[in-house]
mmCIF file of all heavy atoms in Angstrom:
data_model
loop_
_atom_site.group_PDB
_atom_site.id
_atom_site.type_symbol
_atom_site.label_atom_id
_atom_site.label_comp_id
_atom_site.label_asym_id
_atom_site.label_seq_id
_atom_site.Cartn_x
_atom_site.Cartn_y
_atom_site.Cartn_z
ATOM 1 N N ARG A 1 -0.024 32.782 14.965
ATOM 2 C CA ARG A 1 -0.462 33.031 16.321
ATOM 3 C C ARG A 1 0.151 34.323 16.926
ATOM 4 O O ARG A 1 -0.532 35.151 17.498
ATOM 5 C CB ARG A 1 -0.033 31.851 17.273
ATOM 6 C CG ARG A 1 -0.536 32.008 18.742
ATOM 7 C CD ARG A 1 -0.328 30.784 19.534
ATOM 8 N NE ARG A 1 -1.254 29.698 19.140
ATOM 9 C CZ ARG A 1 -2.429 29.550 19.638
ATOM 10 N NH1 ARG A 1 -2.949 30.415 20.472
ATOM 11 N NH2 ARG A 1 -3.177 28.531 19.231
ATOM 12 N N GLU A 2 1.459 34.542 16.641
ATOM 13 C CA GLU A 2 2.115 35.727 17.033
ATOM 14 C C GLU A 2 1.469 37.052 16.439
ATOM 15 O O GLU A 2 1.381 38.056 17.079
ATOM 16 C CB GLU A 2 3.582 35.680 16.664
ATOM 17 C CG GLU A 2 4.447 34.778 17.384
ATOM 18 C CD GLU A 2 5.860 34.784 16.870
ATOM 19 O OE1 GLU A 2 6.158 34.047 16.043
ATOM 20 O OE2 GLU A 2 6.695 35.593 17.448
ATOM 21 N N LEU A 3 0.872 36.853 15.225
ATOM 22 C CA LEU A 3 0.239 37.919 14.550
ATOM 23 C C LEU A 3 -1.193 38.214 14.848
ATOM 24 O O LEU A 3 -1.792 39.017 14.255
ATOM 25 C CB LEU A 3 0.521 37.758 13.018
ATOM 26 C CG LEU A 3 1.959 37.961 12.612
ATOM 27 C CD1 LEU A 3 2.116 37.451 11.122
ATOM 28 C CD2 LEU A 3 2.487 39.318 12.717
ATOM 29 N N GLY A 4 -1.681 37.293 15.690
ATOM 30 C CA GLY A 4 -3.114 37.509 16.110
ATOM 31 C C GLY A 4 -4.111 36.633 15.413
ATOM 32 O O GLY A 4 -5.383 36.868 15.505
ATOM 33 N N PHE A 5 -3.617 35.614 14.747
ATOM 34 C CA PHE A 5 -4.558 34.690 14.001
ATOM 35 C C PHE A 5 -4.301 33.280 14.363
ATOM 36 O O PHE A 5 -3.967 32.464 13.520
ATOM 37 C CB PHE A 5 -4.392 34.864 12.422
ATOM 38 C CG PHE A 5 -4.491 36.239 11.967
ATOM 39 C CD1 PHE A 5 -3.252 36.921 11.521
ATOM 40 C CD2 PHE A 5 -5.680 37.034 11.985
ATOM 41 C CE1 PHE A 5 -3.383 38.261 11.137
ATOM 42 C CE2 PHE A 5 -5.755 38.346 11.534
ATOM 43 C CZ PHE A 5 -4.583 38.970 11.065
ATOM 44 N N PRO A 6 -4.535 32.891 15.673
ATOM 45 C CA PRO A 6 -4.305 31.558 16.113
ATOM 46 C C PRO A 6 -5.120 30.454 15.378
ATOM 47 O O PRO A 6 -4.706 29.352 15.252
ATOM 48 C CB PRO A 6 -4.675 31.548 17.595
ATOM 49 C CG PRO A 6 -5.598 32.752 17.758
ATOM 50 C CD PRO A 6 -5.149 33.711 16.754
ATOM 51 N N SER A 7 -6.373 30.797 14.896
ATOM 52 C CA SER A 7 -7.203 29.740 14.248
ATOM 53 C C SER A 7 -6.631 29.430 12.876
ATOM 54 O O SER A 7 -7.143 28.568 12.268
ATOM 55 C CB SER A 7 -8.553 30.219 14.163
ATOM 56 O OG SER A 7 -8.762 31.483 13.480
ATOM 57 N N MET A 8 -5.577 30.114 12.389
ATOM 58 C CA MET A 8 -5.004 29.787 11.100
ATOM 59 C C MET A 8 -3.907 28.699 11.297
ATOM 60 O O MET A 8 -3.281 28.394 10.256
ATOM 61 C CB MET A 8 -4.455 31.091 10.472
ATOM 62 C CG MET A 8 -5.362 31.886 9.631
ATOM 63 S SD MET A 8 -4.561 33.312 8.817
ATOM 64 C CE MET A 8 -3.547 32.371 7.581
ATOM 65 N N GLU A 9 -3.629 28.375 12.438
ATOM 66 C CA GLU A 9 -2.528 27.397 12.627
ATOM 67 C C GLU A 9 -2.897 26.040 11.906
ATOM 68 O O GLU A 9 -3.913 25.563 11.890
ATOM 69 C CB GLU A 9 -2.388 27.075 14.064
ATOM 70 C CG GLU A 9 -1.487 28.134 14.850
ATOM 71 C CD GLU A 9 -0.971 27.610 16.224
ATOM 72 O OE1 GLU A 9 -1.439 26.473 16.623
ATOM 73 O OE2 GLU A 9 -0.262 28.275 16.851
ATOM 74 N N ALA A 10 -1.843 25.575 11.222
ATOM 75 C CA ALA A 10 -1.986 24.314 10.435
ATOM 76 C C ALA A 10 -0.647 23.790 10.034
ATOM 77 O O ALA A 10 0.375 24.507 9.890
ATOM 78 C CB ALA A 10 -2.818 24.601 9.099
ATOM 79 N N VAL A 11 -0.571 22.449 9.955
ATOM 80 C CA VAL A 11 0.614 21.841 9.499
ATOM 81 C C VAL A 11 0.182 20.817 8.416
ATOM 82 O O VAL A 11 -0.865 20.245 8.528
ATOM 83 C CB VAL A 11 1.433 21.114 10.686
ATOM 84 C CG1 VAL A 11 1.977 22.114 11.575
ATOM 85 C CG2 VAL A 11 0.599 20.025 11.318
ATOM 86 N N GLY A 12 1.055 20.615 7.470
ATOM 87 C CA GLY A 12 0.848 19.638 6.477
ATOM 88 C C GLY A 12 1.637 18.245 6.857
ATOM 89 O O GLY A 12 2.610 18.393 7.400
ATOM 90 N N PHE A 13 1.068 17.224 6.421
ATOM 91 C CA PHE A 13 1.746 15.940 6.638
ATOM 92 C C PHE A 13 2.054 15.205 5.300
ATOM 93 O O PHE A 13 1.304 15.301 4.341
ATOM 94 C CB PHE A 13 0.952 15.041 7.630
ATOM 95 C CG PHE A 13 -0.333 14.412 7.026
ATOM 96 C CD1 PHE A 13 -0.312 13.268 6.311
ATOM 97 C CD2 PHE A 13 -1.584 15.022 7.361
ATOM 98 C CE1 PHE A 13 -1.466 12.719 5.711
ATOM 99 C CE2 PHE A 13 -2.727 14.470 6.810
ATOM 100 C CZ PHE A 13 -2.671 13.323 6.004
ATOM 101 N N GLN A 14 3.015 14.364 5.382
ATOM 102 C CA GLN A 14 3.374 13.384 4.283
ATOM 103 C C GLN A 14 3.650 12.084 4.907
ATOM 104 O O GLN A 14 4.263 11.957 5.931
ATOM 105 C CB GLN A 14 4.547 13.943 3.506
ATOM 106 C CG GLN A 14 4.278 15.259 2.883
ATOM 107 C CD GLN A 14 5.583 15.850 2.235
ATOM 108 O OE1 GLN A 14 6.657 15.490 2.570
ATOM 109 N NE2 GLN A 14 5.448 16.729 1.261
ATOM 110 N N GLY A 15 3.237 11.020 4.279
ATOM 111 C CA GLY A 15 3.615 9.698 4.731
ATOM 112 C C GLY A 15 3.343 8.624 3.716
ATOM 113 O O GLY A 15 2.871 8.890 2.606
ATOM 114 N N LEU A 16 3.736 7.440 4.092
ATOM 115 C CA LEU A 16 3.577 6.294 3.252
ATOM 116 C C LEU A 16 2.258 5.509 3.581
ATOM 117 O O LEU A 16 2.135 5.173 4.734
ATOM 118 C CB LEU A 16 4.778 5.413 3.425
ATOM 119 C CG LEU A 16 5.161 4.421 2.320
ATOM 120 C CD1 LEU A 16 5.425 5.042 1.063
ATOM 121 C CD2 LEU A 16 6.286 3.483 2.702
ATOM 122 N N VAL A 17 1.491 5.267 2.549
ATOM 123 C CA VAL A 17 0.197 4.510 2.764
ATOM 124 C C VAL A 17 0.116 3.447 1.686
ATOM 125 O O VAL A 17 0.725 3.506 0.623
ATOM 126 C CB VAL A 17 -1.069 5.356 2.752
ATOM 127 C CG1 VAL A 17 -1.001 6.473 3.807
ATOM 128 C CG2 VAL A 17 -1.151 6.030 1.385
ATOM 129 N N GLY A 18 -0.722 2.391 1.969
ATOM 130 C CA GLY A 18 -1.033 1.380 1.037
ATOM 131 C C GLY A 18 -2.557 1.090 1.004
ATOM 132 O O GLY A 18 -3.280 1.760 1.743
ATOM 133 N N PRO A 19 -3.045 0.169 0.271
ATOM 134 C CA PRO A 19 -4.428 -0.161 0.269
ATOM 135 C C PRO A 19 -4.812 -0.802 1.564
ATOM 136 O O PRO A 19 -3.969 -1.291 2.358
ATOM 137 C CB PRO A 19 -4.522 -1.220 -0.835
ATOM 138 C CG PRO A 19 -3.276 -1.136 -1.610
ATOM 139 C CD PRO A 19 -2.243 -0.674 -0.725
ATOM 140 N N ALA A 20 -6.111 -0.826 1.908
ATOM 141 C CA ALA A 20 -6.636 -1.447 3.162
ATOM 142 C C ALA A 20 -6.340 -2.933 3.089
ATOM 143 O O ALA A 20 -6.389 -3.488 2.000
ATOM 144 C CB ALA A 20 -8.128 -1.124 3.296
ATOM 145 N N GLY A 21 -6.122 -3.551 4.203
ATOM 146 C CA GLY A 21 -5.954 -4.978 4.235
ATOM 147 C C GLY A 21 -4.579 -5.557 4.006
ATOM 148 O O GLY A 21 -4.511 -6.747 3.814
ATOM 149 N N MET A 22 -3.528 -4.722 4.081
ATOM 150 C CA MET A 22 -2.214 -5.229 3.890
ATOM 151 C C MET A 22 -1.762 -6.097 5.014
ATOM 152 O O MET A 22 -2.159 -5.923 6.188
ATOM 153 C CB MET A 22 -1.223 -4.084 3.807
ATOM 154 C CG MET A 22 -1.269 -3.306 2.454
ATOM 155 S SD MET A 22 -0.080 -1.799 2.480
ATOM 156 C CE MET A 22 1.434 -2.668 2.756
ATOM 157 N N PRO A 23 -1.023 -7.227 4.789
ATOM 158 C CA PRO A 23 -0.555 -8.059 5.806
ATOM 159 C C PRO A 23 0.271 -7.396 6.781
ATOM 160 O O PRO A 23 1.072 -6.508 6.497
ATOM 161 C CB PRO A 23 0.292 -9.133 5.082
ATOM 162 C CG PRO A 23 -0.156 -8.990 3.657
ATOM 163 C CD PRO A 23 -0.508 -7.656 3.493
ATOM 164 N N LYS A 24 0.048 -7.604 8.199
ATOM 165 C CA LYS A 24 0.796 -6.970 9.191
ATOM 166 C C LYS A 24 2.253 -6.953 9.127
ATOM 167 O O LYS A 24 2.964 -6.027 9.380
ATOM 168 C CB LYS A 24 0.235 -7.446 10.608
ATOM 169 C CG LYS A 24 0.743 -6.716 11.694
ATOM 170 C CD LYS A 24 0.247 -7.160 13.062
ATOM 171 C CE LYS A 24 0.712 -6.347 14.256
ATOM 172 N NZ LYS A 24 2.204 -6.239 14.394
ATOM 173 N N ASP A 25 2.715 -8.171 8.728
ATOM 174 C CA ASP A 25 4.099 -8.360 8.665
ATOM 175 C C ASP A 25 4.730 -7.441 7.556
ATOM 176 O O ASP A 25 5.890 -6.973 7.738
ATOM 177 C CB ASP A 25 4.510 -9.802 8.372
ATOM 178 C CG ASP A 25 4.167 -10.704 9.533
ATOM 179 O OD1 ASP A 25 3.025 -10.849 9.902
ATOM 180 O OD2 ASP A 25 5.227 -11.273 10.133
ATOM 181 N N VAL A 26 4.062 -7.272 6.498
ATOM 182 C CA VAL A 26 4.566 -6.375 5.386
ATOM 183 C C VAL A 26 4.508 -4.961 5.867
ATOM 184 O O VAL A 26 5.541 -4.163 5.649
ATOM 185 C CB VAL A 26 3.731 -6.542 4.153
ATOM 186 C CG1 VAL A 26 4.022 -5.499 3.115
ATOM 187 C CG2 VAL A 26 3.918 -8.039 3.488
ATOM 188 N N VAL A 27 3.433 -4.626 6.596
ATOM 189 C CA VAL A 27 3.283 -3.192 7.056
ATOM 190 C C VAL A 27 4.530 -2.889 8.064
ATOM 191 O O VAL A 27 5.070 -1.912 8.077
ATOM 192 C CB VAL A 27 1.940 -2.978 7.817
ATOM 193 C CG1 VAL A 27 1.866 -1.642 8.460
ATOM 194 C CG2 VAL A 27 0.849 -3.112 6.745
ATOM 195 N N ASP A 28 4.671 -3.910 8.977
ATOM 196 C CA ASP A 28 5.690 -3.699 10.044
ATOM 197 C C ASP A 28 7.086 -3.633 9.372
ATOM 198 O O ASP A 28 7.898 -2.779 9.850
ATOM 199 C CB ASP A 28 5.637 -4.945 11.020
ATOM 200 C CG ASP A 28 4.417 -4.927 11.866
ATOM 201 O OD1 ASP A 28 3.713 -3.853 11.915
ATOM 202 O OD2 ASP A 28 4.147 -5.946 12.550
ATOM 203 N N LYS A 29 7.357 -4.402 8.432
ATOM 204 C CA LYS A 29 8.705 -4.294 7.731
ATOM 205 C C LYS A 29 8.878 -2.947 7.078
ATOM 206 O O LYS A 29 9.926 -2.300 7.207
ATOM 207 C CB LYS A 29 8.880 -5.424 6.747
ATOM 208 C CG LYS A 29 10.227 -5.405 6.074
ATOM 209 C CD LYS A 29 10.524 -6.662 5.305
ATOM 210 C CE LYS A 29 11.926 -6.686 4.777
ATOM 211 N NZ LYS A 29 12.288 -7.929 4.041
ATOM 212 N N LEU A 30 7.825 -2.576 6.311
ATOM 213 C CA LEU A 30 7.893 -1.193 5.641
ATOM 214 C C LEU A 30 8.110 -0.088 6.692
ATOM 215 O O LEU A 30 8.946 0.914 6.448
ATOM 216 C CB LEU A 30 6.762 -0.941 4.823
ATOM 217 C CG LEU A 30 6.615 -1.761 3.426
ATOM 218 C CD1 LEU A 30 5.183 -1.650 2.846
ATOM 219 C CD2 LEU A 30 7.641 -1.098 2.464
ATOM 220 N N SER A 31 7.254 -0.098 7.656
ATOM 221 C CA SER A 31 7.343 0.928 8.672
ATOM 222 C C SER A 31 8.771 0.968 9.414
ATOM 223 O O SER A 31 9.310 2.034 9.583
ATOM 224 C CB SER A 31 6.243 0.699 9.763
ATOM 225 O OG SER A 31 6.287 1.575 10.818
ATOM 226 N N ALA A 32 9.253 -0.297 9.738
ATOM 227 C CA ALA A 32 10.613 -0.283 10.405
ATOM 228 C C ALA A 32 11.653 0.193 9.464
ATOM 229 O O ALA A 32 12.565 1.026 9.954
ATOM 230 C CB ALA A 32 10.846 -1.792 10.775
ATOM 231 N N GLU A 33 11.668 -0.167 8.262
ATOM 232 C CA GLU A 33 12.780 0.331 7.374
ATOM 233 C C GLU A 33 12.616 1.756 7.074
ATOM 234 O O GLU A 33 13.619 2.472 6.958
ATOM 235 C CB GLU A 33 12.704 -0.552 6.088
ATOM 236 C CG GLU A 33 13.082 -1.975 6.263
ATOM 237 C CD GLU A 33 14.398 -2.224 6.814
ATOM 238 O OE1 GLU A 33 15.308 -1.394 6.731
ATOM 239 O OE2 GLU A 33 14.611 -3.327 7.423
ATOM 240 N N LEU A 34 11.377 2.203 6.979
ATOM 241 C CA LEU A 34 11.163 3.693 6.751
ATOM 242 C C LEU A 34 11.640 4.477 7.943
ATOM 243 O O LEU A 34 12.306 5.564 7.826
ATOM 244 C CB LEU A 34 9.624 3.997 6.523
ATOM 245 C CG LEU A 34 9.298 5.398 6.306
ATOM 246 C CD1 LEU A 34 9.966 6.007 5.017
ATOM 247 C CD2 LEU A 34 7.781 5.586 6.242
ATOM 248 N N ALA A 35 11.455 4.053 9.144
ATOM 249 C CA ALA A 35 11.882 4.725 10.363
ATOM 250 C C ALA A 35 13.383 4.852 10.354
ATOM 251 O O ALA A 35 13.952 5.830 10.810
ATOM 252 C CB ALA A 35 11.344 3.943 11.553
ATOM 253 N N LYS A 36 14.057 3.699 10.002
ATOM 254 C CA LYS A 36 15.568 3.704 10.005
ATOM 255 C C LYS A 36 16.073 4.775 8.924
ATOM 256 O O LYS A 36 16.914 5.496 9.172
ATOM 257 C CB LYS A 36 16.011 2.303 9.577
ATOM 258 C CG LYS A 36 15.868 1.254 10.633
ATOM 259 C CD LYS A 36 16.342 -0.105 10.072
ATOM 260 C CE LYS A 36 15.976 -1.186 11.087
ATOM 261 N NZ LYS A 36 16.247 -2.557 10.498
ATOM 262 N N VAL A 37 15.427 4.834 7.712
ATOM 263 C CA VAL A 37 15.774 5.750 6.700
ATOM 264 C C VAL A 37 15.581 7.154 7.208
ATOM 265 O O VAL A 37 16.502 8.006 7.023
ATOM 266 C CB VAL A 37 14.978 5.505 5.453
ATOM 267 C CG1 VAL A 37 15.045 6.719 4.513
ATOM 268 C CG2 VAL A 37 15.362 4.292 4.726
ATOM 269 N N LEU A 38 14.454 7.416 7.923
ATOM 270 C CA LEU A 38 14.221 8.839 8.365
ATOM 271 C C LEU A 38 15.052 9.231 9.564
ATOM 272 O O LEU A 38 15.232 10.409 9.841
ATOM 273 C CB LEU A 38 12.672 8.932 8.799
ATOM 274 C CG LEU A 38 11.785 8.732 7.667
ATOM 275 C CD1 LEU A 38 10.245 8.695 8.236
ATOM 276 C CD2 LEU A 38 11.905 9.793 6.581
ATOM 277 N N ALA A 39 15.697 8.253 10.154
ATOM 278 C CA ALA A 39 16.598 8.653 11.296
ATOM 279 C C ALA A 39 17.986 9.090 10.865
ATOM 280 O O ALA A 39 18.801 9.647 11.621
ATOM 281 C CB ALA A 39 16.883 7.370 12.177
ATOM 282 N N ASN A 40 18.297 9.026 9.533
ATOM 283 C CA ASN A 40 19.578 9.404 8.925
ATOM 284 C C ASN A 40 19.644 10.955 9.055
ATOM 285 O O ASN A 40 18.820 11.692 8.517
ATOM 286 C CB ASN A 40 19.618 8.986 7.539
ATOM 287 C CG ASN A 40 21.021 9.266 6.933
ATOM 288 O OD1 ASN A 40 21.346 10.389 6.833
ATOM 289 N ND2 ASN A 40 21.672 8.235 6.404
ATOM 290 N N PRO A 41 20.672 11.512 9.752
ATOM 291 C CA PRO A 41 20.847 12.964 9.906
ATOM 292 C C PRO A 41 20.913 13.696 8.471
ATOM 293 O O PRO A 41 20.427 14.811 8.490
ATOM 294 C CB PRO A 41 22.157 13.023 10.608
ATOM 295 C CG PRO A 41 22.359 11.813 11.361
ATOM 296 C CD PRO A 41 21.727 10.767 10.444
ATOM 297 N N GLU A 42 21.609 13.062 7.481
ATOM 298 C CA GLU A 42 21.640 13.729 6.240
ATOM 299 C C GLU A 42 20.236 13.879 5.547
ATOM 300 O O GLU A 42 19.904 14.943 5.002
ATOM 301 C CB GLU A 42 22.601 12.999 5.244
ATOM 302 C CG GLU A 42 24.029 13.040 5.752
ATOM 303 C CD GLU A 42 25.022 12.241 4.735
ATOM 304 O OE1 GLU A 42 24.454 11.861 3.672
ATOM 305 O OE2 GLU A 42 26.145 12.150 5.021
ATOM 306 N N LEU A 43 19.413 12.866 5.718
ATOM 307 C CA LEU A 43 18.095 12.955 5.101
ATOM 308 C C LEU A 43 17.258 14.002 5.879
ATOM 309 O O LEU A 43 16.570 14.757 5.212
ATOM 310 C CB LEU A 43 17.448 11.578 5.209
ATOM 311 C CG LEU A 43 16.063 11.527 4.494
ATOM 312 C CD1 LEU A 43 15.902 10.205 3.694
ATOM 313 C CD2 LEU A 43 14.920 11.558 5.563
ATOM 314 N N LYS A 44 17.392 13.991 7.180
ATOM 315 C CA LYS A 44 16.662 15.053 8.032
ATOM 316 C C LYS A 44 17.095 16.463 7.614
ATOM 317 O O LYS A 44 16.337 17.387 7.466
ATOM 318 C CB LYS A 44 17.074 14.867 9.516
ATOM 319 C CG LYS A 44 16.399 13.688 10.185
ATOM 320 C CD LYS A 44 16.570 13.688 11.651
ATOM 321 C CE LYS A 44 15.864 12.542 12.316
ATOM 322 N NZ LYS A 44 16.094 12.465 13.796
ATOM 323 N N ALA A 45 18.377 16.627 7.360
ATOM 324 C CA ALA A 45 18.860 17.940 6.905
ATOM 325 C C ALA A 45 18.268 18.360 5.467
ATOM 326 O O ALA A 45 18.011 19.484 5.341
ATOM 327 C CB ALA A 45 20.331 17.899 6.801
ATOM 328 N N LYS A 46 18.005 17.368 4.622
ATOM 329 C CA LYS A 46 17.472 17.668 3.346
ATOM 330 C C LYS A 46 16.061 18.171 3.558
ATOM 331 O O LYS A 46 15.584 19.130 2.901
ATOM 332 C CB LYS A 46 17.335 16.421 2.494
ATOM 333 C CG LYS A 46 18.753 16.038 1.798
ATOM 334 C CD LYS A 46 18.619 14.864 0.868
ATOM 335 C CE LYS A 46 19.925 14.466 0.282
ATOM 336 N NZ LYS A 46 19.731 13.230 -0.643
#
C-alpha cells in the first residue's frame, strides 16, 4: 500500500481443520487446547 499497490494486499492463514460432521464436544476440546498452546509467549516468539 505504501508503494502504491493497495490491491496487492493479502495475508496467508494457517489453522487446524477436520472432516465435516465432527462432534461439537471434540471440536470444542481441540479448539480450547489449541488456544492455550497458542497463548504461550515462547511459541508466539517462534
Side-chain angles (χ1 to χ4, degrees):
R1 182 174 289 274
E2 289 178 272
L3 293 169
F5 307 111
S7 59
M8 275 186 67
E9 278 193 357
V11 293
F13 71 84
Q14 297 172 340
L16 199 61
V17 302
M22 287 176 59
K24 184 178 184 302
D25 289 68
V26 171
V27 174
D28 289 346
K29 182 168 185 177
L30 282 167
S31 177
E33 295 300 339
L34 178 63
K36 291 175 188 176
V37 164
L38 296 176
N40 185 301
E42 291 182 7
L43 186 138
K44 286 185 176 182
K46 283 184 181 179

